[in-house]
Amino acid sequence: MIKFNFYGHSCFSLNTGKEIILVDPFFKENPLTDIKPKEISCDYILVSHAHFDHLGDAELIAKKNGAVIVAIPEVLALCSSIKKVQPMNIGGSLSFSFGWIRMTMAIHSSGVAGGLACGFVIKFKNGPTVYYSGDTALFSDMQIIGAKERIDYAILPIGDNFTMGNEDAARAVQFLKAHNVIPVHYNTWPVIKQDPKIFKQTAESIAAVKVHIVKPGESLDLSK
C-alpha cells in the first residue's frame, strides 16, 4: 500500500509502510495545515525547487529525522548543515530502497541562482508509478513522460498565476495519459484561488482519467 497524505499547498508524503517520502515540506508558513515540522517523520525529502513554499522546512525536518534530502545541487547547497543528501539533475534516475526516482524538467523559476526547477517520477517496487510535476507551466514534453512510463497517479498544480491553471493542467493530463490525478498548489492564498471541481470536470471530460480531490489533512490509498 502507498498512502498519499496531503498537508496542503504542494506538501505531501508517500508512505510505503516501511519508508516515508516527504515532498516539498512547507509547514511553518503553510496556512492550510496546523502540523508542525517537529511532528513530521520521514526517511527521504524530495525538494522540487528553492522557493520558500517548497524548500520550506526541509533542513529542520531532515535534521530531526536523519532523512536524506534529494534535490538538484544548487538547492542542496542551501541545506549546508545536512550531511545526508542525494544530488540529482534533470533526466537522471537513481535506485532507492523503495524503488527508483527520475528527475524531470519543470518550466518554472528555481528560487536559487544557477538552479532549475524540477519534477519527479517515482516508481515504487511492486507498486504504482507516481509523477509529481512540481510547479510548472504546461509543456509539450509531458507527452514524452507519459510515453516513457505508465503514470498511475499524476500530482499537478492547478492554481494558475504561478503555475498551470485548470485548463492547462487538464491538457497536461491528456499529455501524460495519467490514470489518476491529484490537484495541488491551489487555494493557499487568494492569488491562486481555484475550484478543483472545475478541474475535475474539465480533465475527466477530455481524458480517460479519475481526478481525486484530496483536502488538506486527508489521505488517499494509491494502491486502489
Side-chain angles (χ1 to χ4, degrees):
M1 181 188 78
I2 306 298
K3 187 176 182 182
F4 171 91
N5 299 294
F6 189 40
Y7 303 108
H9 199 55
S10 291
C11 179
F12 62 91
S13 66
L14 299 166
N15 189 339
T16 71
K18 294 182 178 179
E19 304 104 335
I20 299 174
I21 299 98
L22 180 66
V23 182
D24 284 351
F26 176 48
F27 290 95
K28 276 186 180 178
E29 299 179 60
N30 184 346
L32 300 180
T33 184
D34 294 325
I35 295 176
K36 305 295 189 292
K38 65 182 180 181
E39 300 174 50
I40 295 296
S41 297
C42 64
D43 301 284
Y44 299 91
I45 300 172
L46 275 53
V47 180
S48 64
H49 62 292
H51 288 157
F52 80 98
D53 55 331
H54 293 263
L55 179 59
D57 308 293
E59 197 165 12
L60 177 62
I61 294 171
K63 282 182 181 178
K64 172 186 173 290
N65 290 278
V68 178
I69 300 180
V70 180
I72 67 166
E74 289 83 358
V75 171
L76 291 177
L78 301 177
C79 304
S80 57
S81 68
I82 304 303
K83 303 302 181 185
K84 295 174 72 174
V85 298
Q86 179 57 63
M88 294 185 70
N89 219 314
I90 309 299
S93 60
L94 192 65
S95 294
F96 292 84
S97 58
F98 54 82
W100 59 257
I101 292 175
R102 186 171 71 254
M103 186 176 277
T104 62
M105 67 183 293
I107 306 299
H108 191 71
S109 56
S110 69
V112 59
L116 293 170
C118 74
F120 300 95
V121 174
I122 309 165
K123 171 61 179 174
F124 290 97
K125 293 177 180 176
N126 303 312
T129 297
V130 178
Y131 168 59
Y132 170 53
S133 69
D135 281 9
T136 190
L138 176 68
F139 58 95
S140 61
D141 279 4
M142 285 181 175
Q143 295 172 92
I144 296 175
I145 296 172
K148 192 174 177 67
E149 308 294 343
R150 172 195 163 101
I151 305 299
D152 295 300
Y153 284 85
I155 301 169
L156 305 176
I158 64 166
D160 213 352
N161 192 74
F162 297 113
T163 68
M164 300 183 290
N166 282 328
E167 184 178 341
D168 280 359
R171 183 59 60 88
V173 173
Q174 274 189 317
F175 284 179
L176 292 162
K177 298 180 180 178
H179 295 265
N180 298 272
V181 177
I182 302 169
V184 297
H185 204 280
Y186 65 94
N187 291 353
T188 316
W189 302 287
V191 72
I192 57 171
K193 184 174 178 58
Q194 293 291 329
D195 183 350
K197 293 180 182 177
I198 294 175
F199 168 69
K200 177 179 174 70
Q201 182 179 22
T202 305
E204 292 183 348
S205 70
I206 65 174
V209 68
K210 183 174 182 180
V211 174
H212 305 266
I213 298 172
V214 184
K215 297 178 181 178
E218 292 184 345
S219 300
L220 182 68
D221 182 357
L222 304 192
S223 61
K224 293 182 178 179

